[in-house]
Amino acid sequence: MSCPFCAIPAERIIDRNESGFVIRDGFPVSPGHTLIIPHRHIGSFFELSRPERDDLFDLLDQAKLVLDREFKPNAYNIGINDGPAAGQTVPHLHIHLIPRFEGDMADPRGGVRYVIPDKAKYWKDE
């Protein structure tokens, strides 16, 4: 199986540095949903070298600034599905940067905790 991120068309890349690149998600969950992807084909965040992590976090910071200007979100979710048991379907590490907007969910509390919905809610409603 070929890797979609190793064969990404150049016109989809909106930013890059020595270790990685940035694209908009092809199946966005919110306007501006962005992916930060290493050039090196690795499956796990934990396989990154320290310089690669630093470079990807630089791209993450820059992507956030771009999204702030273009979409003006109220908040963000940042996530990595690291391994098949965590929901990873593309075996090439990628960091999701998901802009969030007031009212895009009735109750956004818990955020990424909802990867396991039955265990997400830790608060009591009043």
Side-chain angles (χ1 to χ4, degrees):
M1 182 172 126
S2 65
C3 173
F5 296 149
C6 288
I8 200 84
E11 62 270 15
R12 286 201 55 203
I13 297 172
I14 57 178
D15 196 7
R16 66 173 57 237
N17 64 19
E18 184 175 330
S19 299
F21 58 96
V22 178
I23 64 170
R24 291 285 159 75
D25 194 292
F27 305 96
V29 298
S30 73
H33 182 171
T34 297
L35 303 176
I36 294 84
I37 305 166
H39 294 300
R40 189 163 64 100
H41 182 95
I42 54 174
S44 173
F45 174 81
F46 301 103
E47 297 175 57
L48 289 171
S49 68
R50 179 64 62 189
E52 287 173 322
R53 285 185 190 194
D54 291 345
D55 284 350
L56 293 186
F57 284 151
D58 286 345
L59 288 172
L60 180 69
D61 287 341
Q62 184 58 38
K64 189 254 187 206
L65 293 174
V66 169
L67 292 169
D68 285 347
R69 285 193 307 268
E70 288 185 26
F71 294 93
K72 300 178 177 33
N74 302 103
Y76 290 92
N77 289 112
I78 301 164
I80 300 169
N81 300 325
D82 200 299
Q88 185 175 14
T89 57
V90 176
H92 188 139
L93 169 65
H94 50 289
I95 302 168
H96 292 263
L97 177 59
I98 302 172
R100 298 299 304 274
F101 301 89
E102 293 288 339
D104 65 2
M105 287 187 61
D107 184 357
R109 288 184 294 176
V112 297
R113 294 181 57 86
Y114 274 93
V115 297
I116 301 178
D118 293 344
K119 295 185 177 183
K121 188 176 177 181
Y122 58 89
W123 61 89
K124 293 181 180 176
D125 291 321
E126 296 179 21

